[in-house]
Amino acid sequence: MQPLRGTRDILPNEMQSWQYIHNIANKILNQNNYKEVQTPIIENTELFTRSIGNFTDIVNKEMYSFCDQSNRNITLRPEGTASIARAIISNKLYVDSQISRLWYMGPMFRYERPQKGRQRQFHQLGIECIGSFNPIADVEVIKLAIQVLSKLGCISEYELDINCIGNIEERELYKVQLVEYLHKYKDELDNDSKTRLNKNPLRILDSKNTKTQEILQTGPILKNYLNKASLDHFNQVCEHLEYLQISYNINNYLVRGLDYYNYTAFEIKTKTINNQNTVCGGGRYDRLIEQLGGPNIPAVGWAIGIERILILANNYLKTQAQVTNTSIYVAVRNDNYHNSYMVWDILNILEEYNIKFELDLSNSNLSRQIKKASRLKATICLILGENENYNKFVTIKWLNTGMQQQIHFVELKEYMKYIKKTIIT
Ligand code: ATP
Ligand code: MG
């Protein structure tokens, strides 16, 4: 049996890196008063069609949607922001505080062609700062993205692309001009862009096709259709970034693949992974909550792709997240005549002193169990054989020297306390 295409198991040796990422995020974000949330993995399909937009790639061809037993249209979430916006509304989170700072980490689902850094079930770490129009909020989230990425060891060669995509009215105005311009070159556009010309022309700006890019170079630029409020907001964001010495490129062609963004849009790319080099995408979404039936609340946020981080910084994360070996291996013989109940008392002591242990379950002869302990690079093997059981003592074997000593069970607790303090820290 194989897992579904585009999905994979995360095995125990990788889990340490995942936990490390979660811990780092928790530390940095918690300090900045972001609170972790979890929303359901399944939502009404309507949530995504109404927020991400009908003509986006995600809604158009990438969603995992199905009808449940009661004929509800359900979708496995393709991203986190729509769900968070829904949660803000469902739980009236805006009532008690003006600003909600939230973060999440969890699986997302998109039906895409699987390749390196692109899966059908993938994971995102994301933050949302909800309730502020202030350009400082945009800068706060961008700064946090950079902080998280650098703490995860993957920011040495990054590029922050940023653009102002204005509001809906400004974009509508621009769209008309763009479509009119591109119509003149219709036959030279790549196929995707041709279809987008009628449905979602702004996405053409994002085309990777060189001919299309060439055509765009002499076309209208969104920036020229923005009013003062949009430009001022953007300039402030840029000035604060400069103050923070966060380097950025203004990319006039940056548009995100989700319709809900306005004003600031940004992406963090690395120069290392070839095609799938975007590790973080985000922006402002001031209309989304209202669009979904909630009050008019502005917001800004981003999402980082965890799998892409793991590709970039796998080795770094592995060394950072390295877990200590088992400290104590417990070798024990158990048979019909000699039930070694004492083993439970030993484990209780180890647990009490927070010592990491592994209990041998093979019931093979003791020398074989001791060999296993050495192979696992344990510090000590605690031996509980027939003789020990009968006489209520434990043999302690120091695996690096081979030295052995016997400790009476009543003294074991004190001894373990000493060991925990001096040797196994
Ligand atoms: P891309 O252009 O690479 O498809 P996107 O614009 O669709 O990215 P977003 O929706 O902004 O991506 O999601 C934010 C981040 O989530 C991306 O920058 C990327 O790191 C990650 N991501 C998106 N789709 C996938 C996927 N199918 N597999 C793995 N990671 C993904
Ligand atoms: Mg995509």
Side-chain angles (χ1 to χ4, degrees):
M1 290 282 279
Q2 291 299 318
L4 283 175
R5 196 164 133 77
T7 71
R8 53 186 295 274
D9 302 305
I10 303 161
L11 297 173
N13 64 341
E14 297 166 88
M15 260 342 275
Q16 288 143 23
S17 299
W18 285 76
Q19 279 160 0
Y20 180 77
I21 294 171
H22 189 274
N23 287 343
I24 290 290
N26 190 36
K27 214 167 135 192
I28 296 175
L29 299 173
N30 194 28
Q31 191 184 9
N32 284 268
N33 203 31
Y34 282 75
K35 307 265 161 60
E36 186 174 8
V37 282
Q38 273 189 22
T39 61
I41 283 169
I42 50 173
E43 295 273 2
N44 277 319
T45 298
E46 196 198 354
L47 170 63
F48 304 112
T49 50
R50 274 176 66 180
S51 51
I52 298 170
N54 270 325
F55 296 122
T56 59
D57 282 352
I58 295 179
V59 170
N60 223 358
K61 51 186 189 200
E62 295 173 1
M63 291 217 295
Y64 275 92
S65 300
F66 62 95
C67 273
D68 74 359
Q69 282 80 343
S70 307
N71 254 330
R72 294 184 192 90
N73 281 313
I74 307 257
T75 294
L76 301 185
R77 61 179 187 196
E79 57 104 36
T81 303
S83 304
I84 300 272
R86 202 262 315 125
I88 291 277
I89 301 167
S90 321
N91 301 286
K92 295 200 170 52
L93 293 186
Y94 47 84
V95 173
D96 286 341
S97 65
Q98 213 200 334
I99 305 283
S100 298
R101 289 183 168 94
L102 301 172
W103 74 276
Y104 60 88
M105 180 165 152
M108 306 294 160
F109 304 83
R110 295 185 196 174
Y111 193 83
E112 302 194 70
R113 195 170 69 77
Q115 51 201 288
K116 195 174 162 119
R118 196 176 289 288
Q119 292 176 195
R120 290 183 174 171
Q121 175 175 341
F122 62 101
H123 297 74
Q124 285 183 340
L125 162 68
I127 75 171
E128 317 290 355
C129 177
I130 298 147
S132 172
F133 278 116
N134 194 338
I136 288 193
D138 309 38
V139 179
E140 173 179 295
V141 298
I142 294 173
K143 173 175 174 283
L144 285 170
I146 306 278
Q147 262 172 276
V148 168
L149 288 170
S150 41
K151 265 277 184 244
L152 295 178
C154 45
I155 203 77
S156 46
E157 284 201 57
Y158 77 92
E159 268 175 8
L160 166 64
D161 274 18
I162 182 165
N163 192 19
C164 180
I165 58 170
N167 58 30
I168 298 173
E169 297 78 46
E170 292 160 337
R171 276 202 304 275
E172 282 307 319
L173 210 70
Y174 170 66
K175 241 187 237 176
V176 175
Q177 302 300 316
L178 180 69
V179 171
E180 193 179 301
Y181 168 80
L182 288 175
H183 258 293
K184 288 188 276 192
Y185 301 91
K186 199 169 173 244
D187 299 333
E188 297 168 60
L189 294 175
D190 62 284
N191 284 337
D192 271 349
S193 299
K194 269 182 202 152
T195 16
R196 284 174 175 151
L197 201 50
N198 299 317
K199 292 182 172 168
N200 197 0
L202 284 185
R203 282 296 282 172
I204 298 175
L205 299 181
D206 205 26
S207 167
K208 308 270 189 296
N209 183 281
T210 35
K211 182 67 201 166
T212 302
Q213 276 301 332
E214 211 175 282
I215 295 168
L216 286 167
Q217 293 301 319
T218 47
I221 291 175
L222 179 51
K223 197 171 72 185
N224 299 334
Y225 296 80
L226 301 180
N227 61 35
K228 188 168 177 316
S230 297
L231 290 171
D232 283 352
H233 186 100
F234 189 59
N235 286 339
Q236 281 199 52
V237 171
C238 293
E239 282 161 21
H240 281 277
L241 289 175
E242 269 156 42
Y243 182 81
L244 287 170
Q245 297 187 325
I246 295 174
S247 50
Y248 61 88
N249 323 311
I250 295 175
N251 176 350
N252 288 319
Y253 298 99
L254 174 74
V255 282
R256 311 286 347 283
L258 307 105
D259 280 356
Y260 52 66
Y261 286 117
N262 67 309
Y263 280 31
T264 316
F266 61 90
E267 272 179 5
I268 300 174
K269 294 178 177 167
T270 57
K271 296 168 188 163
T272 28
I273 343 178
N274 359 352
N275 277 331
Q276 275 56 255
N277 62 350
T278 310
V279 285
C280 176
R284 194 163 254 294
Y285 53 96
D286 295 331
R287 312 310 304 222
L288 179 58
I289 295 170
E290 191 181 32
Q291 200 180 308
L292 292 173
N296 178 7
I297 301 176
V300 54
W302 49 252
I304 287 175
I306 305 286
E307 280 78 5
R308 296 193 188 169
I309 289 188
L310 285 164
I311 295 173
L312 275 171
N314 196 20
N315 291 338
Y316 174 81
L317 288 170
K318 266 194 189 145
T319 51
Q320 291 299 306
Q322 212 158 54
V323 286
T324 42
N325 287 330
T326 300
S327 310
I328 293 195
Y329 197 79
V330 183
V332 59
R333 285 287 286 172
N334 189 58
D335 60 45
N336 286 337
Y337 307 103
H338 302 98
N339 268 326
S340 30
Y341 299 124
M342 208 165 70
V343 73
W344 302 119
D345 303 322
I346 294 175
L347 299 195
N348 279 342
I349 293 172
L350 298 177
E351 280 174 355
E352 186 179 337
Y353 291 111
N354 220 347
I355 296 171
K356 194 169 170 190
F357 62 85
E358 181 176 340
L359 173 63
D360 192 296
L361 295 176
S362 69
N363 214 14
S364 53
N365 68 46
L366 287 171
S367 61
R368 204 180 273 175
Q369 294 190 39
I370 295 164
K371 265 191 205 130
K372 177 86 187 283
S374 303
R375 234 182 313 147
L376 290 174
K377 299 197 165 43
T379 315
I380 288 170
C381 186
L382 283 186
I383 302 160
L384 199 56
E386 206 174 295
N387 191 14
E388 283 87 351
N389 221 348
Y390 191 73
N391 294 304
K392 296 279 169 261
F393 71 88
V394 181
T395 302
I396 290 185
K397 187 177 175 88
W398 292 87
L399 291 164
N400 52 350
T401 61
M403 191 186 79
Q404 252 176 240
Q405 64 193 116
Q406 291 175 340
I407 304 277
H408 199 274
F409 181 69
V410 292
E411 286 159 6
L412 187 65
K413 203 168 162 166
E414 266 313 297
Y415 191 73
M416 281 302 144
K417 192 176 170 186
Y418 160 77
I419 286 202
K420 172 70 187 182
K421 245 195 193 150
T422 54
I423 294 149
I424 303 161
T425 45

